[in-house]
Amino acid sequence: MRGKLLFFIILLSFSFYSYASEIEKAKEILKKGKTEKYEESLTQFDRGYILLKGGQFEIENSFSYIYYSANQIYLSSFAILDPIFLTLGEFGIENARRHIFQYNLALRYGIADFLQAEVNIPFIFRHERYSVVGTNAGERTADDYGFGDVSIGLSIQPIKERKSRPAVILSLAFKTKTGKSPFDVDDPKKDLPTGSGYYAVKGGINLLKSIDPVVVFGGLAYSYNMPEDVGRVYTLNTGGGTTSAKLDKFYPGDTLSFNIGFAYALSYNFSMNFQFAQDYTFTSKSKVNGVKSDVNNSTMNSATLKIGTGWALSKRSSLNVSLTMGLTNDAPDYVIEFRLPVRF
């Protein structure tokens, strides 16, 4: 009898242990699932911080609207015609309103779990309105559209995130000049560029650290903007006659970029993110009629604050919406962006 009772107790204990073990396993699976969902919702703010897994392919369609107002012709890479007008004495204070609609197709492929390749193909439509300050002249408008500058990039993650250290991602990108160059524009008031007109190489480092339920991220990048041989003579009507000058070469200033922010999961499939970004562009130079000199007012300091949301539609896709507000005169007034990445 004692033997049977002892056997029953052992059997009961083993069953209870097995049952408890299964419960723990179930809890671990559930916890892992929740963690993955949190990570999924938190990692939708920027693919530059989270790489695709090896063999994964992603197509991202994005649309952005950029509004920019200024009292002079001065907008990012499109401002490189300014030195010509300054040289020819044609520059004046203008009130410019720019509406830029941009569709971008991004193709990404995970070569390995730590290595990702990417191609970006932009299409741009621009609508601009001008009025000269201090005159009764009416507004002039200009429209143009076309492909922008295609870029290709490679990202590698040499260090994975651990409890005591952040994940590190290194990136290298090359920007072509497939868009319409400002140097090929005859009249910037009627014909608008859709590209920068020069090649660029950009290298950067991004850091990412999860502090449940928040993800903190930040990055530093440097863009080397390559000199462009122009060799074109520009002739302008100055009222009392015409004057001309030859722009031999243009040396765009390099750009140093910095950003920092965090993302917060409001639920398993919805998150919000906040990001501060700053781009500082050094002084550009130009060689006009054989004389090389600095381009006045070509140093730019563009700072922005971005507020975004990420909504996981399924395991393969998400919808990301963001609003970016300019904090300095060199930044766009605001940018509204929609991104829809789909993984295969």
Side-chain angles (χ1 to χ4, degrees):
M1 184 65 184
R2 288 183 178 177
K4 289 183 179 179
L5 181 59
L6 181 61
F7 176 75
F8 177 75
I9 292 174
I10 293 175
L11 181 63
L12 184 62
S13 299
F14 180 76
S15 300
F16 179 77
Y17 174 78
S18 300
Y19 178 70
S21 178
E22 290 301 319
I23 290 178
E24 289 302 319
K25 287 182 179 178
K27 287 182 177 178
E28 287 298 321
I29 293 173
L30 185 60
K31 183 180 178 181
K32 183 180 179 182
K34 288 182 178 179
T35 302
E36 289 178 349
K37 286 185 177 179
Y38 268 121
E39 291 179 350
E40 180 68 21
S41 64
L42 286 169
T43 55
Q44 295 155 4
F45 49 88
D46 194 335
R47 181 54 72 184
Y49 285 93
I50 301 294
L51 303 186
L52 293 170
K53 295 180 180 178
Q56 274 193 328
F57 180 71
E58 184 175 83
I59 298 177
E60 181 181 282
N61 293 282
S62 65
F63 174 81
S64 60
Y65 166 68
I66 306 168
Y67 176 73
Y68 191 98
S69 63
N71 289 327
Q72 57 180 349
I73 302 175
Y74 196 74
L75 172 59
S76 185
S77 57
F78 301 133
I80 61 177
L81 275 180
D82 285 355
I84 300 171
F85 290 103
L86 284 169
T87 302
L88 298 177
E90 187 71 10
F91 182 75
I93 298 176
E94 283 190 326
N95 193 325
R97 299 288 181 267
R98 291 183 169 85
H99 304 268
I100 302 175
F101 301 86
Q102 179 170 321
Y103 165 76
N104 189 77
L105 175 64
L107 306 175
R108 304 185 181 96
Y109 179 69
I111 300 173
D113 287 349
F114 60 91
L115 186 62
Q116 172 184 292
E118 178 175 350
V119 178
N120 284 284
I121 307 171
F123 186 84
I124 296 171
F125 173 79
R126 298 181 60 178
H127 172 73
E128 301 193 357
R129 307 175 71 89
Y130 304 98
S131 61
V132 180
V133 176
T135 67
N136 294 322
E139 280 192 338
R140 292 170 298 170
T141 62
D143 301 287
D144 215 329
Y145 61 89
F147 283 101
D149 293 337
V150 175
S151 64
I152 57 175
L154 200 63
S155 299
I156 185 170
Q157 184 177 16
I159 300 176
K160 288 187 176 181
E161 181 182 2
R162 292 288 185 268
K163 193 172 182 179
S164 59
R165 71 187 186 199
V168 178
I169 296 178
L170 305 177
S171 63
L172 183 65
F174 175 73
K175 184 188 72 65
T176 65
K177 53 178 185 177
T178 52
K180 182 188 293 183
S181 170
F183 304 117
D184 297 329
V185 171
D186 294 324
D187 186 350
K189 307 296 177 56
K190 298 178 180 178
D191 193 16
L192 303 176
T194 60
S196 64
Y198 52 82
Y199 296 109
V201 177
K202 183 177 183 179
I205 178 171
N206 290 334
L207 304 178
L208 178 85
K209 185 73 177 73
S210 300
I211 308 173
D212 191 20
V214 174
V215 173
V216 180
F217 56 90
L220 190 66
Y222 188 86
S223 179
Y224 169 62
N225 299 319
M226 300 181 181
E228 177 68 15
D229 290 319
V230 182
R232 180 176 175 180
V233 176
Y234 293 87
T235 302
L236 293 178
N237 190 345
T238 59
T242 60
T243 183
S244 62
K246 183 182 179 183
L247 178 61
D248 301 308
K249 199 167 185 176
F250 183 74
Y251 305 84
D254 296 342
T255 302
L256 180 64
S257 303
F258 164 79
N259 74 87
I260 188 169
F262 69 93
Y264 180 77
L266 298 177
S267 68
Y268 296 146
N269 56 6
F270 188 83
S271 66
M272 291 195 69
N273 57 79
F274 303 87
Q275 183 182 42
F276 170 79
Q278 185 166 14
D279 296 327
Y280 185 85
T281 301
F282 298 95
T283 302
S284 300
K285 299 179 184 295
S286 64
K287 182 181 287 185
V288 179
N289 293 332
V291 179
K292 184 178 179 181
S293 60
D294 292 344
V295 176
N296 295 331
N297 302 318
S298 60
T299 301
M300 292 189 294
N301 182 20
S302 173
T304 59
L305 178 63
K306 180 179 180 180
I307 301 174
T309 63
W311 179 19
L313 302 176
S314 68
K315 291 183 178 180
R316 299 180 180 276
S317 64
S318 62
L319 176 63
N320 307 280
V321 182
S322 65
L323 169 65
T324 301
M325 296 166 284
L327 303 178
T328 62
N329 291 332
D330 296 328
D333 290 15
Y334 64 88
V335 179
I336 300 174
E337 183 182 51
F338 299 86
R339 295 191 295 116
L340 183 63
V342 180
R343 296 189 300 277
F344 300 94

